[in-house]
Amino acid sequence: MSGGEVAGILVAVFWAILVSFLAVALARLAQTLKATTKLVADVTDQAVPLLADASSAVRSAQTQIDRVDAIASDVQEVTSNASALSSTVASTFGGPLVKVAAFGYGVRQALTGRKEPAPAKPSRRTVIVGRTVPGTRRGKRK
């Protein structure tokens, strides 16, 4: 065998090994693509019901929000009605009730015929280390 034939055989062997490695790599890539396709199909099968459940949950939440909105508007109406009623009652009965109470107080004072005594003035005391000593006023000493 000549040098050219040996070089040709080496190139052929190298080429065969390279093709074998590429075939193995392509086979593994094909398996990976099959697994990925199966995974995407499974995710799709599970995602569709989840999206349907999420959609129904959002609809239910919207219904509840509508109910709460209706309740809030009713509470606001009741509050304004109560405020109006309170002001009406205060204006209707408040003035005359105060006048009746003042008249009753005046009649009671007139019937008793005496005035309430003025409150007594408190005496000044000197405090010495936590004790109170009665008496001693400034300017008056015995």
Side-chain angles (χ1 to χ4, degrees):
M1 281 206 240
S2 69
E5 291 174 347
V6 173
I9 290 175
L10 285 176
V11 169
V13 170
F14 178 72
W15 185 257
I17 293 172
L18 180 65
V19 168
S20 298
F21 282 134
L22 288 175
V24 170
L26 286 175
R28 287 187 180 175
L29 182 61
Q31 289 175 354
T32 304
L33 287 175
K34 284 181 187 177
T36 304
T37 303
K38 183 181 178 205
L39 180 65
V40 168
D42 290 343
V43 166
T44 302
D45 291 343
Q46 292 176 1
V48 170
L50 286 176
L51 289 174
D53 290 344
S55 176
S56 66
V58 168
R59 280 192 215 105
S60 175
Q62 182 62 39
T63 303
Q64 295 301 324
I65 287 173
D66 291 342
R67 288 180 183 171
V68 168
D69 189 35
I71 290 170
S73 66
D74 291 344
V75 166
Q76 184 179 10
E77 184 178 339
V78 167
T79 303
S80 65
N81 289 343
S83 175
L85 179 65
S86 172
S87 64
T88 302
V89 167
S91 66
T92 303
F93 296 113
L97 193 58
V98 168
K99 289 177 184 176
V100 167
F103 178 75
Y105 179 76
V107 168
R108 193 169 57 236
Q109 290 297 321
L111 290 178
T112 58
R114 49 185 168 148
K115 296 181 180 178
E116 291 183 19
K121 294 182 181 178
S123 64
R124 299 182 92 184
R125 297 181 178 181
T126 305
V127 177
I128 301 174
V129 191
R131 296 186 311 162
T132 304
V133 179
T136 66
R137 290 187 160 185
R138 290 185 185 166
K140 292 184 177 179
R141 292 195 178 182
K142 293 182 179 182

